[in-house]
Amino acid sequence: MKKAKQTNSATSATASLNGLSKDDIKQAIVRHLHCSMGTDENKANDHAWWKAACAAVQEQVLERLRSTQKAHYMNDTRAVHYFSAEFLMGRLMSNNLHNLGLYEKTHQAMRELGVDLTDVMEQEPDMALGNGGLGRLAACFIDSLATLDLPAIGYGLHYEHGLFRQEIRSGAQIERPDSWRDYGNPWEICRPESIQEIPLYGYVETKYGDKGQINKEWHPGSIVKGVPWDIPVVGYGGKTVNVLRLWESQASDYFNWDVFNAGGYVDAQRENVQAETISKVLYPNDETEAGKELRLIQQYFFCACSLKDIIRRYKRAHGDDWSRFADQVVIQLNDTHPAIAIPELIRILVDRAGMDWGAAWEISSKTFAYTNHTLLPEALEKWPARMLEKILPRHLEIIYEINHRFMRKVEEKWPGDDAIKRKLSIIEESSEKMIRMGNLSVIGSFAVNGVAEIHSRLVKENLFPEFEKLWPGKLTNVTNGITPRRWLKACNPALSKLISERIGDKWPTELYKLQGLANFADDKEFQQQFMQIKHDNKVRLAAEVKTLTGVELDPNMIFDIQIKRLHEYKRQHLNLLHILALYRRLLEDPDYDMHPRAFLFGAKAAPGYKLAKDIIYAINKVADKINNDVRVNHKLKVVFLPNYRVSLAEKMIPAADISEQISTAGKEASGTGNMKLSLNGALTVGTLDGANIEIAEEVGEENIFIFGLTVEQVQKLHAGGYNPYDIYDNSREIKAILDWLETDYFTPGKPGELASVKQSLLDGGDPYLVLADFDAYSEAQQKADRAYRDKAGWARKAIINTARMGKFTSDRSIREYVERIWRLTPCHVE
Ligand code: GFP
Ligand code: GFP
């Protein structure tokens, strides 16, 4: 059916974008309802309407995809290849319609057909092929790349199941499989003509050539097939449509047949299952022990497929002349997950193209650039050498060779210094020999960047200081950004309209234009309009909350929102302790002076991360108690929204008054949720961490609530031997709250159910300094509370937040990558 639809769309999409009328759209939707869905206007349900509308949009998209590919091919452009194990795309319909400039017309067309576009769009499952920030950043970046008319391909894995669906049962997180393609995904196109075969396992044979040279040949023990699926990425304005190419694993035909013919039907099936497992599921973050081997195979699989694809395209234009490869191809490694691509390219150049090491290294080290996203030691990937030897024996040899040559460089720079060698070596000589993918990435790349000023400084000073001395200037910063098309224009239509009325409609591509709004920050009428839109968004979110959880929220409460992966360093439990403090204060003094506030959470915990799941449970239990306690629930409400994901973020962010960005200083590399909330007029309560610092610089200290320890203070506190009991013993409030968690007050009849949270903060040593920052946090919250009561003052601050977010468009990030790292030129598509 999919095939038929494509042929159909290719021939019928002839109308030009601007010429496309509402009636054209209407006809196209109805045609697809009839011809693609086999139903009609009277019988169709929302799902059928959604699919028909997608098909109508996809016609437009594919037309532009063809012209883009043609333009790139004709111009033989240099292109960036963004390698990422995660792309957290969310839904595509609304975004594609906005970027094509067809949203309003489609809305009207559907209304005339008697259906509501907003309802229909709810049918679309999120493409949740990522965990959090890193994957969503990749999605924002490919949006900006297409918008800026830059030749780019995203490369990743076509997971059958994306990040799990979260259900909350009796307060606890339950993981359910995500099934984003159960009824087919109308946006993706299978490209069987570009299938790749990928070797795995086996052994390496050493051969001696006639001139005494040594050649290596890898004899793989198994081969899997990589099938590409293309998701079109529509730039704003609809000119450039790039591709996100995701690889699905399948059993290789030729491998199967041998076994099959020999009568091994069952064995053949087993091969099938194993091969298909590779792209079966996305690994949740922090799932460190599970399926390590499979995770490494996933990484190699998508890198090897992508490299073959890139080389095929390069050879089509340049034949066997490799001299221009690094001029045409730049590969950005999104974290170390794709770092195995470095030895893979060298293998291809040395073993397959017959290049000598020096020539191969020359090409490879000019091709790769690497982005670091975290300093957390547990997140810096290491693979047991033994495992690499089993799965990728030739790559292990190549890594040893890279390291050997690198160690000679280190010896030249620091003669006789074995400590430095041990530290910089790709090989960690611990009880089990480990391969450090971070070191490999730095050594094998021509540029390395962190994702916010402070993070990049810490990468230079703490993580890789010697690398900075070896190659001054190689480590750099590119502060993250977000696409304003999705995160303002599409998700907050009323505010977008208001903004355009005041400052024109250029801001989606020139976000600095938002500065113009600052002129209206004290304009009474504008303040009123701005805050009315916020109020309406809160009403809408309150309705959603009611549907999802049964909890009723008064939109006049302060909506205080913390949305992000659940992790101790992000400190959702600091937020929880503060909620408990408010609850206690209200019980002790019913007149306790506070503006009514609703605390909303959205977060998934990695299935294997026990404490993170305990924190979710604690939030839910505390929420139950507070929401049902008539003594306080007119002033305090707590909501945990299940199954946090991109489409839910799009509903929560426009309704936020306060944005919680409270990670321990030095731990959150950048954050990007902080930018989205601020852009939509929320005020940040945040630490001096990641991009919060740059947000504070932009909005000014009077428009943000900064609190807590700085990176230097955090380091000092740890060095001086931090003891959380000192705080517990000396603070009546903190002691009472933590002890409360151990009783059965929140879990009637089951004392101790929430004790692990307390335990982690006391006997566990409070590694993320929750208690140390508590008082400062509580004060910042009181300041926010007082500020909110000054209606005009708050409106002014909210407007300034929106007005000063220009810097954080992902277009700016991409321009910096282009100028400093990728050196691309735009290719305009007719
Ligand atoms: C080419 C063409 C596309 C075609 C794909 C199929 O792209 O139109 O759909 O092949 O794989 F340009 P690349 O070979 O550049 O991927
Ligand atoms: C990581 C970092 C964030 C950063 C993003 C994107 O996010 O601080 O903003 O990458 O660079 F932790 P997660 O994937 O860990 O959520």
Side-chain angles (χ1 to χ4, degrees):
M1 189 184 86
K2 206 163 253 148
K3 266 265 146 259
K5 212 178 346 179
Q6 282 157 26
T7 328
N8 189 342
S9 50
T11 48
S12 57
T14 42
S16 80
L17 181 58
N18 296 330
L20 207 65
S21 73
K22 179 199 66 195
D23 288 332
D24 296 333
I25 298 173
K26 214 157 117 183
Q27 276 166 24
I29 295 174
V30 170
R31 175 162 43 80
H32 280 289
L33 205 56
H34 296 177
C35 306
S36 309
M37 303 302 301
T39 183
D40 67 41
E41 296 92 311
N42 302 317
K43 286 193 295 185
N45 61 9
D46 277 351
H47 188 81
W49 281 112
W50 168 63
K51 277 226 165 149
C54 283
V57 177
Q58 183 78 329
E59 285 184 351
Q60 299 302 314
V61 171
L62 293 183
E63 188 74 359
R64 286 158 187 81
L65 175 68
R66 274 196 316 117
S67 6
T68 306
Q69 293 197 326
K70 193 165 159 206
H72 292 174
Y73 177 73
M74 299 303 278
N75 292 302
D76 189 22
T77 51
R78 173 176 167 83
V80 64
H81 305 80
Y82 200 83
F83 280 28
S84 179
E86 302 187 10
F87 285 91
L88 192 42
M89 302 293 285
R91 293 173 173 161
L92 300 185
M93 173 77 125
S94 150
N95 194 68
N96 287 352
L97 282 175
H98 278 288
N99 285 8
L100 289 168
L102 293 177
Y103 189 90
E104 274 313 315
K105 282 181 194 164
T106 307
H107 199 290
Q108 282 172 26
M110 294 206 84
R111 196 163 37 217
E112 288 178 17
L113 288 165
V115 275
D116 182 58
L117 178 59
T118 344
D119 293 342
V120 166
M121 288 190 311
E122 285 295 311
Q123 293 296 314
E124 179 166 358
D126 277 42
M127 253 182 100
L129 311 187
N131 275 286
L134 171 146
R136 185 53 231 176
L137 184 76
C140 284
F141 278 5
I142 56 176
D143 176 277
S144 282
L145 280 161
T147 298
L148 296 171
D149 291 322
L150 292 161
I153 302 193
Y155 275 115
L157 275 155
H158 189 264
Y159 301 106
E160 190 179 324
H161 302 285
L163 190 60
F164 65 88
R165 185 162 56 77
Q166 179 194 55
E167 285 177 12
I168 301 294
R169 288 226 200 116
S170 319
Q173 166 177 300
I174 310 282
E175 300 93 26
R176 292 274 165 253
D178 159 72
S179 39
W180 64 285
R181 320 174 59 238
D182 262 9
Y183 306 104
N185 181 299
W187 302 112
E188 54 183 11
I189 309 155
C190 190
R191 301 280 198 201
E193 66 273 33
S194 300
I195 283 174
Q196 301 294 350
E197 301 227 300
I198 303 303
L200 291 166
Y201 303 102
Y203 64 96
V204 179
E205 184 189 356
T206 306
K207 291 179 174 167
Y208 297 92
D210 37 7
K211 293 183 203 99
Q213 78 275 30
I214 297 174
N215 295 320
K216 299 283 191 164
E217 195 177 338
W218 176 19
H219 298 279
S222 119
I223 290 185
V224 290
K225 209 160 72 175
V227 181
W229 290 85
D230 287 354
I231 321 279
V233 181
V234 184
Y236 187 74
K239 293 211 180 74
T240 291
V241 175
N242 282 330
V243 164
L244 168 61
R245 179 160 282 189
L246 303 177
W247 299 97
E248 178 189 286
S249 63
Q250 281 183 14
S252 153
D253 308 333
Y254 116 99
F255 223 79
N256 266 344
W257 272 116
D258 289 350
V259 190
F260 203 80
N261 289 339
Y265 305 110
V266 177
D267 286 349
Q269 264 321 103
R270 194 172 302 131
E271 282 264 334
N272 257 323
V273 171
Q274 274 173 1
E276 277 154 25
T277 307
I278 298 174
S279 61
K280 200 81 174 172
V281 286
L282 165 77
Y283 271 92
N285 262 11
D286 308 301
E287 193 79 337
T288 41
E289 284 315 310
K292 273 210 169 119
E293 190 170 320
L294 181 56
R295 168 92 175 174
L296 176 60
I297 294 175
Q298 284 189 333
Q299 297 183 347
Y300 176 66
F301 168 75
F302 96 83
C303 289
C305 286
S306 309
L307 273 175
K308 283 194 161 172
D309 202 46
I310 292 169
I311 290 168
R312 170 187 61 81
R313 209 173 285 122
Y314 175 80
K315 285 197 163 180
R316 191 169 62 198
H318 303 273
D320 285 333
D321 170 15
W322 286 93
S323 66
R324 294 188 34 78
F325 189 77
D327 297 329
Q328 295 301 97
V329 175
V330 55
I331 297 175
Q332 188 67 34
L333 305 174
N334 196 24
D335 218 302
T336 56
H337 316 146
I340 196 71
I342 297 171
E344 171 68 358
L345 179 57
I346 294 176
R347 182 186 75 83
I348 293 168
L349 297 176
V350 173
D351 294 1
R352 310 306 298 238
M355 240 174 245
D356 65 36
W357 183 278
W361 181 255
E362 181 71 15
I363 292 175
S364 144
S365 60
K366 285 184 178 154
T367 300
F368 292 101
Y370 154 57
T371 306
N372 173 284
H373 294 268
T374 180
L375 299 168
L376 297 187
E378 64 270 29
L380 295 173
E381 285 188 303
K382 286 179 204 168
W383 296 110
R386 184 183 34 82
M387 193 190 283
L388 266 164
E389 190 170 20
K390 176 176 160 202
I391 301 169
L392 302 169
R394 179 61 182 134
H395 297 75
L396 184 63
E397 290 185 357
I398 291 170
I399 290 171
Y400 283 146
E401 184 64 26
I402 296 174
N403 198 49
H404 177 69
R405 288 165 186 256
F406 174 64
M407 285 294 114
R408 289 210 302 248
K409 254 185 137 45
V410 176
E411 172 61 25
E412 271 167 38
K413 176 97 181 169
W414 293 283
D417 191 336
D418 289 343
I420 286 204
K421 284 199 197 90
R422 264 197 304 280
K423 193 170 167 206
L424 299 191
S425 174
I426 302 173
I427 323 300
E428 183 182 276
E429 301 283 355
S430 39
S431 55
E432 180 169 29
K433 217 188 246 186
M434 303 293 276
I435 308 301
R436 297 165 170 154
M437 301 310 268
N439 294 31
L440 173 63
S441 302
V442 178
I443 295 162
S445 299
F446 66 88
V448 178
N449 74 286
V451 290
E453 293 286 350
I454 186 180
H455 167 65
S456 299
R457 175 168 72 77
L458 295 173
V459 167
K460 259 194 224 175
E461 290 175 3
N462 299 351
L463 187 63
F464 299 132
E466 295 81 6
F467 286 121
E468 174 64 12
K469 289 198 186 105
L470 259 179
W471 297 299
K474 179 162 166 175
L475 308 189
T476 174
N477 173 251
V478 180
T479 298
N480 283 166
I482 56 171
T483 168
R485 275 76 68 180
R486 180 177 293 264
W487 296 111
L488 180 52
K489 176 138 180 141
C491 77
N492 200 342
L495 184 57
S496 300
K497 186 158 167 278
L498 176 68
I499 293 172
S500 296
E501 280 163 14
R502 291 287 171 141
I503 62 164
D505 60 3
K506 293 272 190 289
W507 58 268
T509 50
E510 297 166 45
L511 204 63
Y512 277 107
K513 289 232 151 75
L514 290 181
Q515 275 173 6
L517 294 177
N519 298 331
F520 309 109
D522 291 306
D523 173 332
K524 287 283 160 262
E525 190 201 355
F526 187 70
Q527 286 187 347
Q528 196 275 328
Q529 292 170 323
F530 193 96
M531 293 315 289
Q532 184 61 46
I533 288 168
K534 181 63 80 182
H535 185 85
D536 296 345
N537 291 338
K538 287 164 76 174
V539 170
R540 220 166 292 128
L541 180 60
E544 187 79 16
V545 166
K546 174 87 175 123
T547 314
L548 292 174
T549 67
V551 178
E552 289 197 31
L553 296 182
D554 175 353
N556 293 309
M557 296 176 113
I558 297 174
F559 277 24
D560 179 319
I561 295 191
Q562 186 169 20
I563 37 177
K564 47 189 78 254
R565 285 191 298 118
L566 209 132
H567 199 290
E568 285 165 273
Y569 86 76
K570 298 179 186 276
R571 299 200 297 191
Q572 281 91 352
H573 48 343
L574 175 58
N575 191 343
L576 177 65
L577 292 194
H578 174 248
I579 292 169
L580 287 168
L582 291 178
Y583 186 21
R584 231 184 124 258
R585 290 173 203 168
L586 284 167
L587 290 181
E588 286 192 338
D589 171 13
D591 296 325
Y592 177 74
D593 188 24
M594 65 175 275
H595 188 93
R597 202 187 296 205
F599 291 90
L600 293 98
F601 293 86
K604 287 180 183 173
Y609 188 175
K610 169 84 170 44
L611 185 58
K613 292 172 94 172
D614 287 353
I615 293 172
I616 291 182
Y617 186 66
I619 294 172
N620 278 308
K621 289 294 156 186
V622 169
D624 272 356
K625 191 79 190 177
I626 292 178
N627 297 340
N628 293 304
D629 188 338
V630 291
R631 295 170 297 176
V632 302
N633 64 12
H634 56 294
K635 280 199 172 166
L636 192 57
K637 282 270 170 81
V638 183
V639 172
F640 187 97
L641 282 175
N643 202 26
Y644 179 63
R645 61 199 186 284
V646 172
S647 59
L648 189 52
E650 287 165 5
K651 295 174 181 154
M652 296 179 82
I653 287 169
D657 294 307
I658 291 184
S659 154
E660 298 276 350
Q661 308 299 335
I662 59 180
S663 53
T664 320
K667 298 296 180 195
E668 187 69 272
S670 164
T672 44
N674 45 4
M675 303 166 184
K676 296 166 195 167
L677 283 151
S678 192
L679 179 64
N680 283 273
L683 271 63
T684 305
V685 173
T687 45
L688 286 172
D689 198 18
N692 294 353
I693 298 176
E694 290 160 69
I695 291 177
E697 279 166 14
E698 296 298 304
V699 303
E701 60 178 26
E702 65 285 9
N703 299 308
I704 188 166
F705 305 98
I706 293 291
F707 73 94
L709 300 165
T710 62
V711 168
E712 284 67 30
Q713 289 166 336
V714 165
Q715 285 165 352
K716 232 177 160 175
L717 199 54
H718 279 308
Y722 169 64
N723 181 2
Y725 272 103
D726 294 342
I727 300 174
Y728 173 79
D729 290 332
N730 289 305
S731 161
R732 201 176 73 90
E733 185 167 60
I734 289 177
K735 183 168 189 313
I737 293 165
L738 291 182
D739 292 347
W740 210 3
L741 285 174
E742 245 173 358
T743 67
D744 76 342
Y745 188 81
F746 301 100
T747 53
K750 295 176 184 160
E753 270 201 341
L754 311 183
S756 65
V757 178
K758 169 181 176 180
Q759 203 273 336
S760 75
L761 298 175
L762 291 173
D763 297 333
D766 187 13
Y768 298 99
L769 305 176
V770 171
L771 300 190
D773 264 342
F774 180 83
D775 283 344
Y777 178 55
S778 171
E779 256 171 56
Q781 289 288 22
Q782 274 177 30
K783 258 178 132 171
D785 173 273
R786 280 192 299 274
Y788 192 80
R789 302 187 208 186
D790 168 9
K791 288 272 167 266
W794 187 273
R796 174 172 213 290
K797 290 181 202 297
I799 293 166
I800 294 289
N801 266 271
T802 301
R804 299 272 170 79
M805 279 305 107
K807 171 174 174 182
F808 301 104
T809 168
S810 43
D811 299 347
R812 189 264 318 141
S813 310
I814 289 300
R815 285 197 183 96
E816 289 183 17
Y817 278 101
V818 167
E819 279 160 25
R820 306 219 306 270
I821 300 174
W822 299 339
R823 295 177 290 104
L824 300 178
T825 30
C827 175
H828 298 285
V829 179
E830 288 308 306

